[in-house]
Amino acid sequence: MKLTIITGSHRRESQSERIGHILRKRVEALGLFDDSEVLSLSGNPLPLWDEVIFSGDEQWKALLSPWRQTLRASDALVVVTPEWNGMVPSALKNFFLLFGAAELGHKPALITAVSAGQGGSYPVAELRMSSYKNARLCFIPEHLIIRDVASVFTGDNQEADMHLQDRTDYALRLLSEYGKGLQQVRNSGVIDHKTFRNGM
């Protein structure tokens, strides 16, 4: 099984990306997936959605092809999102416009929200409400909120880090099991995105 971790901050050297790599290390330490990869939206590698995508534009094909290959090969995802003014950043929302059911459909995902302060709940609610409809991505019931992120997993507060690591490990183990279960759904022959292209 393959895991892909999407880090949704536009910023370079962001806390979201740091957390994404920490999660990858935990996945590897726990042996939960055969392969894992971090795809970062740092520096806006994906331009804003444009309607020429649907006309087979060669520049868009070349740009999106490696991302599509990685996502199609994935069995589960982690979506790491910062909270910017109580919202998911535009690069991450754009990601969900560019990639759909062919890449994300019926795959489990763990939301991991990152906050510089005591926030983090609004991006969880936003992603659960508005990012999965046509992509058919399946956010698992468990999620993580990492508050005061600059002080987390730095070695400054080992007791707090251990508590958060236990919760993180639990969520990642659940994600792995959902990954196994939803493989059966994708292989069942029941999915019909040609007839039912969009969610209701």
Side-chain angles (χ1 to χ4, degrees):
M1 285 203 312
K2 176 169 181 168
L3 173 70
T4 298
I5 299 168
I6 309 297
T7 60
S9 177
H10 310 198
R11 286 179 170 168
R12 299 184 188 278
E13 300 181 10
S14 69
Q15 292 291 338
S16 298
E17 189 165 351
R18 181 178 74 88
I19 293 299
H21 286 286
I22 288 170
L23 294 176
R24 184 182 185 189
K25 286 179 185 174
R26 287 310 300 160
V27 163
E28 291 173 351
L30 295 167
L32 297 175
F33 291 86
D34 301 313
D35 186 24
S36 61
E37 184 173 350
V38 175
L39 294 181
S40 172
L41 298 178
S42 172
N44 292 305
L46 300 171
L48 287 177
W49 179 94
D50 189 298
E51 62 188 353
V52 298
I53 294 171
F54 297 124
S55 66
D57 181 81
E58 290 302 320
Q59 286 185 317
W60 273 105
K61 275 186 182 177
L63 177 67
L64 297 181
S65 180
W67 289 71
R68 284 186 171 138
Q69 288 176 6
T70 297
L71 293 168
R72 284 179 178 161
S74 300
D75 296 290
L77 294 95
V78 175
V79 179
V80 183
T81 177
E83 182 175 46
W84 288 4
N85 291 329
M87 297 180 288
V88 171
S90 56
L92 186 54
K93 297 295 283 198
N94 186 54
F95 171 87
F96 287 108
L97 294 175
L98 295 174
F99 302 105
E103 296 85 18
L104 307 174
H106 309 282
K107 296 179 181 181
L110 170 68
I111 296 171
T112 302
V114 168
S115 174
Q118 289 298 304
S121 60
Y122 283 98
V124 174
E126 183 178 348
L127 286 173
R128 289 194 187 282
M129 180 177 69
S130 69
S131 59
Y132 72 94
K133 182 179 85 73
N134 290 348
R136 277 29 181 249
L137 188 63
C138 299
F139 289 117
I140 68 172
E142 192 70 23
H143 60 258
L144 296 171
I145 300 178
I146 301 177
R147 297 182 169 104
D148 293 318
V149 66
S151 64
V152 170
F153 296 134
T154 60
D156 294 338
N157 188 339
Q158 292 185 354
E159 184 178 344
D161 284 355
M162 205 57 182
H163 174 72
L164 184 57
Q165 183 174 301
D166 288 345
R167 187 63 183 249
T168 298
D169 290 354
Y170 168 68
L172 291 171
R173 286 190 178 103
L174 273 178
L175 180 65
S176 176
E177 293 304 312
Y178 274 99
K180 294 171 189 173
L182 287 183
Q183 279 181 332
Q184 296 178 38
V185 174
R186 292 196 304 278
N187 295 333
S188 68
V190 171
I191 296 168
D192 182 359
H193 291 155
K194 289 184 180 177
T195 306
F196 306 105
R197 183 178 171 192
N198 298 318
M200 291 181 75

